[in-house]
Amino acid sequence: MNAFAGKRIVLGVTGGIAAYKAAELSRLLVKAGATVDVVLTQAGSEFVGAMTFQALTGRPVWQTLWNDRMSHGMAHIDLTRGAAAVLIAPATANVLAKLAHGVCDDLLSILCLARDCPLLVAPAMNRQMWEHPATQRNMALLSRDGVKILGPASGDQACGEVGEGRMLEAKTLFDELYTFFQPKSLAGKRVLLTAGPTFEPIDPVRGLTNSSSGKMGFALAQACAEAGATVTMIAGPVALPTPRNVQRVDVQTSAQMREAVLQNLPGQNVFIGVAAVADYRPKVVSTEKIKKNGEPMTLVLEATSDILGEIAARPDAPFCVGFAAESQNLETYAESKRKAKNLALVVGNLVQDGLGGETNRVTLFDATGAYPLPSAKKIIVARGIVAHLASLMEKLDGKPCGKPRANS
Ligand code: PMT
């Protein structure tokens, strides 16, 4: 994934044990196509040597104001010109205090003051230092100045104490930075989506379910959050981690999923049905474990409610997006679902392409035609769906489900 192609990141590394995570972060960024210029403070170099960063980034490491590597000796100015962002990770209490008060006493603090690009900081310190009113005052000042603060996390600390102040993991910082650069095409929008399978009990130990892993729905929740939406995800029984900035409600059955959707519906701008919701459930659920007796058994099923169909039919329906999982005739079935449920957009996929795996190949069906996206990891596909959805919403001027407004 060349998510950072063409972007130059100035990575400030200051004196904390979390500096070792900055080495991994620089590797991830370089792998994603970024050019990384590391600025290492004197204290930072006590934890990880310049040679490590030089080897990982393939570029010289900047440690002092006093060098002639820049043609006119102005590294404190030139390093940030044309940079996409400065990220300081780890950011100690000391560097945060300096940045909050405009203190300039080394290359990193001076270039932060002289920069013309965004600044992000990943605090890393002992929990008492983090909670100290002086640090909290400094963080408030930095926030007010538009500095983006990433973390800290809570947990075990190098000093042996437990609490808030740990630097976020390298992969989390990488994801945060990626999100930071994403166009905020769904800013101000509230998105409700369903994900994963449902589980319809037969008796206390058995049930009917399907092979949906939840990966497509979780990826779409992440992509919507990256695009600036406030996201609520109603998830069937899957053991996937919740994407950052996504509110998750866990359910088991289709009836619970419907209930949770209805409860969370007020105020939503978009509803996306990614879940593979059971179409049928046992008519009677045995309260005791059903005993085998060697005879054939008949299970009587009844239809479940069509959650998406019900939401799209409401007079106050949000912008509704459906998925169609088919094993053949994708275009015919997806189009007929779009029309039958009056959906603005249907994401069609063949089960052999998307069910359970890490990748998917989808075609987007809206009133103007069919738009195939290339096969890719689900998060990449999800970002493509979000881009199409956002532009479609804009074109339709937010009309629910693409229907004309009642008063237009
Ligand atoms: O979870 P993964 O392993 O990543 O797999 C992803 C996926 C293949 C499950 C996903 O991409 C997908 O296609 N989801 C929809 C699956 C589905 O149930 O499709 P459907 O054609 O049966 O349903 C059509 C639409 O109605 C869907 O938006 C579905 O969420 C919705 N529906 C269906 C039945 C029901 N009772 N209520 C619903 O809301």
Side-chain angles (χ1 to χ4, degrees), residues 26 50 62 121 157 189 228-229 265 267 276 285 306 356 400:
S26 62
W62 299 86
V121 295
Q157 302 208 301
K189 299 279 187 263
L265 193 64
V285 180
D306 182 335

Side-chain angles (χ1 to χ4, degrees), residues 258-282:
R258 174 180 174 273
E259 198 49 45
V261 165
L262 291 176
Q263 251 175 36
N264 285 278
L265 193 64
Q268 300 290 347
N269 304 102
V270 181
F271 175 66
I272 313 177
V274 197
V277 188
D279 291 320
Y280 292 92
R281 65 177 166 224

Side-chain angles (χ1 to χ4, degrees), residues 281-350:
R281 65 177 166 224
K283 196 170 164 85
V284 177
V285 180
S286 170
T287 49
E288 303 300 337
K289 184 180 172 196
I290 298 171
K291 293 290 177 200
K292 70 172 177 200
N293 59 14
E295 293 299 311
M297 188 185 139
T298 304
L299 199 57
V300 180
L301 304 179
E302 65 180 3
T304 59
S305 310
D306 182 335
I307 304 170
L308 177 63
E310 183 179 338
I311 301 302
R314 290 168 66 111
D316 61 347
F319 190 92
C320 287
V321 179
F323 269 63
E326 309 296 344
S327 56
Q328 57 175 339
N329 300 333
L330 182 61
E331 179 155 2
T332 313
Y333 291 139
E335 264 296 296
S336 73
K337 278 180 187 166
R338 187 179 71 78
K339 288 180 182 145
K341 296 190 189 182
N342 191 26
L343 306 171
L345 178 65
V346 162
V347 181
N349 50 190
L350 290 170

Side-chain angles (χ1 to χ4, degrees), residues 27 39 47 50 86 113 117 164 207 281 293 350 363 372 378:
R27 192 189 70 82
V39 177
F47 289 89
V86 176
L113 207 67
C117 63
E164 208 176 356
R281 65 177 166 224
N293 59 14
L350 290 170
T363 301
K378 285 180 175 169

Side-chain angles (χ1 to χ4, degrees), residues 11-285:
L11 177 62
V13 180
T14 67
I17 179 59
Y20 79 91
K21 296 184 191 172
E24 172 66 359
L25 175 61
S26 62
R27 192 189 70 82
L28 289 171
L29 289 169
V30 169
K31 207 170 148 206
T35 300
V36 180
D37 279 322
V38 173
V39 177
L40 186 60
T41 64
Q42 173 60 42
S45 69
E46 300 288 337
F47 289 89
V48 180
M51 195 52 69
T52 300
F53 289 108
Q54 187 169 319
L56 289 169
T57 63
R59 293 171 68 84
V61 171
W62 299 86
Q63 291 185 270
T64 165
L65 265 175
W66 317 114
N67 65 62
D68 53 9
R69 261 193 269 146
M70 292 282 181
S71 54
H72 54 303
M74 297 254 188
H76 65 292
I77 307 288
D78 293 349
L79 267 174
T80 60
R81 296 299 178 261
V86 176
L87 167 62
I88 305 183
T92 59
N94 181 50
V95 79
L96 293 167
K98 288 200 293 184
L99 296 175
H101 297 280
V103 174
C104 295
D105 62 357
D106 63 3
L107 176 58
L108 184 60
S109 52
I110 298 175
L111 72 77
C112 282
L113 207 67
R115 78 186 195 283
D116 58 1
C117 63
L119 172 61
L120 300 90
V121 295
M125 66 198 75
N126 164 270
R127 67 182 175 89
Q128 294 284 17
M129 294 170 75
W130 173 250
E131 284 163 16
H132 195 285
T135 304
Q136 291 305 312
R137 272 197 306 275
N138 291 334
M139 299 317 295
L141 282 176
L142 289 171
S143 250
R144 217 176 59 198
D145 289 349
V147 176
K148 171 103 175 135
I149 296 157
L150 308 177
S154 193
D156 291 339
Q157 302 208 301
C159 53
E161 296 183 2
V162 180
E164 208 176 356
R166 277 171 64 93
M167 189 173 89
L168 297 180
E169 297 305 317
K171 178 65 171 67
T172 310
L173 287 175
F174 175 89
D175 290 343
E176 289 279 1
L177 200 54
Y178 180 85
T179 303
F180 182 76
F181 290 127
Q182 283 302 292
K184 299 291 176 275
S185 55
L186 293 180
K189 299 279 187 263
R190 289 166 58 87
V191 175
L192 177 65
L193 58 75
T194 61
T198 56
F199 180 90
E200 308 297 336
I202 296 171
D203 70 11
V205 293
R206 306 180 182 93
L208 299 178
T209 187
N210 59 65
S211 340
S212 167
S213 62
K215 289 173 191 161
M216 192 65 239
F218 278 55
L220 201 54
Q222 179 183 330
C224 289
E226 284 174 1
T230 302
V231 183
T232 305
M233 175 175 65
I234 316 297
V238 291
L240 296 174
T242 310
R244 279 169 309 111
N245 302 324
V246 169
Q247 195 205 331
R248 172 177 179 170
V249 179
D250 284 316
V251 297
Q252 295 278 323
T253 65
S254 58
Q256 290 166 354
M257 187 170 271
R258 174 180 174 273
E259 198 49 45
V261 165
L262 291 176
Q263 251 175 36
N264 285 278
L265 193 64
Q268 300 290 347
N269 304 102
V270 181
F271 175 66
I272 313 177
V274 197
V277 188
D279 291 320
Y280 292 92
R281 65 177 166 224
K283 196 170 164 85
V284 177
V285 180

